[in-house]
Structure formats: structure tokens, C-alpha cells
Amino acid sequence: MKLKVLYFARLRERLGVAEEAVELPDGMGMVAMLLDVLRARGGVWAEQLAAGKNFRVAVNQDMAGMEAPIEDGDEVAIFPPVTGG
Amino acid sequence: MKILVDEKDFDAGAEIAALRAGNPHIGAVASFVGLVRDTNAGSTVASMTLEHYPAMTRRALEAIVAEAGRRWALLDVTVIHRVGELRPSDQIVLVAVASGHRADAFAACEFIMDYLKTQAPFWKKEQTPAGARWVEQRATDEQAAARWAE
């Protein structure tokens, strides 16, 4: 399945990418599994998306937890805790 | 309900006048304006750039305002949040809440700000004498939002 993955703010700068298409094997339908695939790239990916790091995930523009389901064609965004207002 | 995310500045007085125009049921308007400070975390701040996630920002703000409407008796709400480059004393955000009585307006205004600061996808980057830095979320922001948990 194919996902559109977006990165914002500090994470966008550290990872050096704002948006990409990520292909996941069929059956990998959870946020946690996408993160495992991204961490497996090593380097800055493993460092910035490490389990203890403080980041948030949204699936199709709604805040989502690690267990949230993802489906083919979904837009997943990964970003630091927000600081508006 | 008016929700606006824009680079342009806003006129808080005109927004409040528009919010209450023509509705004689309104007995209270509570509003909050957030401004860019010239210092933060021990450094001078020359300017601040606000980034957002356009597809999600409006939806998140609508969800926060809808939740406030479930908790309190509100007659109308305006939320305006700016993005782009801002300087000290510039306005960042306006939340204005109209209701029949003041308690609902005060509480909902504070709730919307607390949730906005933890749930709406905006990020601030400050220019300081030591260079640019991303503002980190404060633990007190999460605590402020958590006190509204039902």
C-alpha cells in the first residue's frame, strides 16, 4: 500500500524532506508499523523517530496514536508537539 | 462561527463588533489576543515565523470550537490565527466567544486557547541573536489542556 507522508517544522528540517510517498507491504496497517519502516532507514530517521522522542502523528488530518489504522492512500503527517497560540 | 488562518493582521475590535452584530441574545463576549513577545527563554526575539499544516489546521480548529460548543452555551465564536513572519508586538491569535452569560464565555475562551495550543498544528520558529530556534512545547501547556478533561 502507498501512503503520502508529510513532515513539519523541526522534523521537516532534521529529516530534510517535507513530503514523500512511502510504500508499505500489504497488511502493515498501523501507525507504529510505518514508524518502524522509517526508523529502519537508520541515521537521522532512527534518531529523530526513536520511541522515546517527542513527536505527534496525524492520519488524514486527525491526531492519531501508535495503534491507529492506516490504509492505502492515507495522508500521514509526523511533526513535533505544536506551539501555536 | 468564523475560523480564519491568514498571514494578514486582524482588527480585534472590528471582529468583536461583527461577532455580536444583530444578535440580541448575546449578553457577554470574552476575548483573548496573543502577541509576539520580544523575549523568550532568556533570549531576545527579533522575529518569529509561524508554520502550519494547511489541510489539518482548519479542521483542528473547527473540532476545538465544536467541542467548546458541546460544553458551554455559546452563541458564536471567532478564531483567527496568523501564520508567516511576525515581529514583537504583532498579534498572533484572536479567540472571541459570545454567549448569554459571562461564565460560559470566559470558560469557553480559555478552553479554546488551551486546546489550540496543544491540538492545532502550528509551530513557531524564533530568530534570536544566537540564531534560529524552534519553540518547544511547554509542559504547562499540556497541563493547562489536561485540566479540562472530562
Side-chain angles (χ1 to χ4, degrees), chain B residues 51-121:
Chain B
E51 178 175 336
H52 71 135
Y53 175 8
M56 180 175 171
T57 310
R58 186 181 175 83
R59 179 191 285 212
L61 293 174
E62 283 173 351
I64 293 164
V65 171
E67 178 60 26
R70 276 190 287 275
R71 293 175 181 227
W72 294 282
L74 308 182
L75 293 169
D76 207 352
V77 177
T78 292
V79 178
I80 300 176
H81 203 297
R82 295 179 68 194
V83 292
E85 191 177 358
L86 302 177
R87 300 191 171 278
S89 299
D90 282 353
Q91 303 185 113
I92 303 176
V93 62
L94 168 71
V95 173
V97 179
S99 61
H101 301 279
R102 74 178 186 278
D104 286 331
F106 272 132
C109 187
E110 195 166 18
F111 169 88
I112 291 168
M113 273 309 303
D114 285 346
Y115 267 54
L116 185 157
K117 287 191 81 85
T118 53
Q119 301 294 318

Side-chain angles (χ1 to χ4, degrees), chain A residues 9-85:
Chain A
R10 174 170 42 76
L11 271 176
R12 171 176 48 76
E13 288 187 350
R14 298 271 168 83
L15 299 172
V17 57
E19 178 179 337
E20 64 173 331
V22 175
E23 190 89 41
L24 288 190
D26 285 341
M28 294 191 73
M30 246 200 315
V31 167
M33 294 163 181
L34 167 65
L35 289 169
D36 284 342
V37 167
L38 297 177
R39 287 183 195 115
R41 294 170 172 176
V44 70
W45 295 87
E47 177 203 320
Q48 292 297 319
L49 301 175
K53 283 277 190 173
N54 203 2
F55 58 85
R56 303 282 185 265
V57 178
V59 176
N60 297 328
Q61 298 99 44
D62 281 320
M63 292 285 195
M66 290 298 115
E67 314 282 304
I70 42 178
E71 293 175 14
D72 186 48
D74 280 354
E75 178 175 300
V76 181
I78 307 176
F79 43 77
V82 306
T83 58

Side-chain angles (χ1 to χ4, degrees), chain B residues 1-63:
Chain B
M1 176 171 78
K2 174 177 178 178
I3 290 176
L4 184 64
V5 178
D6 201 343
E7 293 196 4
K8 290 202 294 281
D9 197 11
F10 53 82
D11 178 339
E15 295 296 337
I16 289 169
L19 179 73
R20 65 186 182 83
N23 189 341
H25 299 310
I26 294 173
V29 175
S31 66
F32 172 84
V33 177
L35 306 171
V36 180
R37 266 195 322 272
D38 66 354
T39 55
N40 188 38
S43 302
T44 307
V45 174
S47 70
M48 173 180 279
T49 304
L50 276 129
E51 178 175 336
H52 71 135
Y53 175 8
M56 180 175 171
T57 310
R58 186 181 175 83
R59 179 191 285 212
L61 293 174
E62 283 173 351

